[in-house]
């Protein structure tokens, strides 16, 4: 495969064999022996592929096609075709702990689901790809608080997609929102960012606690997913942070109602 020419004769540059790395976002059975997968690839972004014969016992794909896997793949690709043909797929990094630990699996599945929802087909974004791999790696090897890496991911995803919330200054009056926000104060989070205590009072809406605001600011300032793992949020603050981020993503990502993986885990945990 590696020695094949990039273009085949007679097809006007529309066929090519490409090697790329990707993360498996989802899989589904197709007919009796095959699988259809969505991959997030480094070069082409989200790509749907069919893995023929993947469900046969002696399949060449073996265990590579599981969601959250980091894989090297060879795709036979044609322009203007919704479903590409996967001809080879091997695991690069086995993220074993993501499937062995329920807390980690929950975070990992939420992360791949968010990438699936937020990205468009065949729009490569290396920054998003690197973020995705980095967060899965961090969650896989985390010794504590893997859910903090999910909030970090959601915050960075917002930035990559161009709707980073403004958390350091009030979106209405531009007053600074210091770290030392009064413990008794509550701030309202809008679709664009935060309202200071004064501006929040005028909205009549229930705000979030100073601790939750500080946690969101820390997630936004952090530059690596590993650096947020020390953040152990209390159940109350955890809920505030989780809801704020989810509402933010729901407002900005068309058609996004909530995470399926969260619903599944809500019934299990
Ligand atoms: Zn204000």
């Amino acid at each position: 495969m590696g020695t094949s020419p990039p273009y085949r004769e007679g097809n006007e540059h529309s066929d090519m064999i490409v090697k790329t790395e990707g993360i498996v976002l989802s899989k589904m059975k197709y007919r009796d022996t095959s699988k259809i997968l969505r991959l997030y690839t480094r070069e082409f972004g989200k790509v749907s592929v069919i893995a023929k014969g993947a469900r046969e016992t002696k399949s060449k794909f073996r265990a590579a096609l599981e969601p959250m896997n980091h894989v090297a793949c060879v795709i036979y690709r044609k322009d203007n075709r919704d479903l590409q043909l996967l001809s080879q797929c091997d695991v690069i990094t086995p993220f074993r702990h993501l499937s062995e630990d329920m807390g980690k699996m929950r975070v990992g599945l939420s992360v791949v689901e968010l990438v699936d929802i937020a990205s468009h087909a065949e729009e490569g974004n290396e920054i998003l790809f690197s973020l995705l791999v980095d967060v899965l790696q961090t969650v896989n090897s985390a010794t504590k608080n893997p859910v903090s890496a999910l909030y970090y991911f959601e915050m960075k995803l917002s930035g990559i997609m161009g709707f980073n919330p403004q958390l350091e200054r009030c979106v209405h009056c531009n007053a600074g929102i210091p770290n030392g926000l009064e413990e008794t104060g509550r701030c309202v989070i809008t679709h664009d960012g935060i309202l200071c205590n004064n501006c929040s009072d005028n909205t009549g809406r229930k705000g979030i606690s100073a601790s939750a605001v500080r946690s969101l600011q820390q997630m936004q300032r952090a530059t690596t997913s590993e650096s947020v793992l020390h953040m152990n949020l209390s159940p109350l603050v955890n809920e505030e942070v989780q809801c704020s981020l989810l509402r933010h993503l729901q407002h900005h990502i068309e058609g996004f109602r909530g995470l399926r993986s969260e619903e599944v885990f809500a019934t299990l945990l």
Side-chain angles (χ1 to χ4, degrees):
M1 282 296 177
T3 55
S4 303
Y7 298 110
R8 288 192 168 188
E9 283 179 21
N11 278 317
E12 295 177 341
H13 303 273
S14 62
D15 295 10
M16 36 176 190
I17 288 167
V18 291
K19 272 186 167 181
T20 183
E21 59 177 304
I23 296 287
V24 181
L25 302 179
S26 69
K27 64 162 185 186
M28 57 182 265
K29 292 175 184 173
Y30 182 71
R31 297 205 171 146
D32 288 342
T33 58
S34 301
K35 282 182 187 173
I36 290 178
L37 311 172
R38 271 202 298 278
L39 305 171
Y40 194 81
T41 63
R42 183 184 282 280
E43 281 89 352
F44 307 100
K46 186 165 67 179
V47 182
S48 293
V49 295
I50 180 162
K52 290 190 175 168
R55 286 160 57 216
E56 288 170 344
T57 350
K58 285 183 180 171
S59 163
K60 61 181 171 180
F61 298 112
R62 290 187 296 272
L65 310 182
E66 294 302 313
M68 306 183 288
N69 272 358
H70 183 200
V71 294
C73 47
V74 178
I75 300 170
Y76 179 47
R77 187 172 171 276
K78 279 186 179 180
D79 281 345
N80 308 318
R81 176 165 79 170
D82 291 338
L83 194 59
Q84 310 292 353
L85 180 66
L86 185 69
S87 72
Q88 201 179 317
C89 191
D90 299 292
V91 174
I92 298 175
T93 324
F95 295 140
R96 276 193 203 93
H97 303 302
L98 292 183
S99 48
E100 288 169 0
D101 176 310
M102 289 280 261
K104 291 183 177 187
M105 188 193 285
R106 177 184 182 177
V107 171
L109 288 175
S110 296
V111 165
V112 292
E113 188 180 343
L114 277 168
V115 169
D116 196 7
I117 291 163
S119 59
H120 298 288
E122 309 242 349
E123 270 181 25
N125 185 326
E126 284 232 17
I127 298 173
L128 177 55
F129 180 79
S130 300
L131 174 70
L132 173 60
V133 174
D134 169 65
V135 169
L136 291 178
Q137 258 160 3
T138 295
V139 174
N140 182 59
S141 57
T143 52
K144 57 186 176 181
N145 310 321
V147 75
S148 293
L150 172 62
Y151 303 146
Y152 169 87
F153 176 80
E154 291 175 332
M155 192 64 91
K156 298 300 161 184
L157 179 68
S158 298
I160 290 171
M161 298 193 66
F163 45 82
N164 215 6
Q166 179 177 317
L167 299 175
E168 303 289 339
R169 298 198 153 269
C170 172
V171 292
H172 183 65
C173 74
N174 210 33
I177 310 282
N179 270 330
L181 185 77
E182 286 177 37
E183 283 302 328
T184 51
R186 296 185 75 78
C187 281
V188 165
I189 302 271
T190 73
H191 304 315
D192 305 318
I194 198 163
L195 290 171
C196 68
N197 283 170
N198 284 341
C199 295
S200 294
D201 286 344
N202 299 332
T203 64
R205 284 166 57 187
K206 184 173 171 285
I208 66 169
S209 68
S211 305
V213 171
R214 270 199 300 275
S215 302
L216 287 167
Q217 287 176 330
Q218 280 184 52
M219 297 287 176
Q220 192 172 56
R221 289 175 197 152
T223 51
T224 66
S225 52
E226 215 175 345
S227 69
V228 301
L229 292 178
H230 74 280
M231 292 175 71
N232 183 15
L233 309 182
S234 72
L236 207 63
V237 171
N238 182 64
E239 194 168 332
E240 290 179 305
V241 167
Q242 183 182 30
C243 289
S244 303
L245 284 166
L246 217 51
R247 271 207 306 271
H248 184 68
L249 294 172
Q250 280 170 341
H251 178 79
H252 290 280
I253 301 173
E254 209 185 323
F256 175 44
R257 298 278 163 267
L259 289 164
R260 278 193 319 273
S261 37
E262 283 292 299
E263 285 169 27
V264 171
F265 278 97
T267 61
L268 292 178
L269 297 179

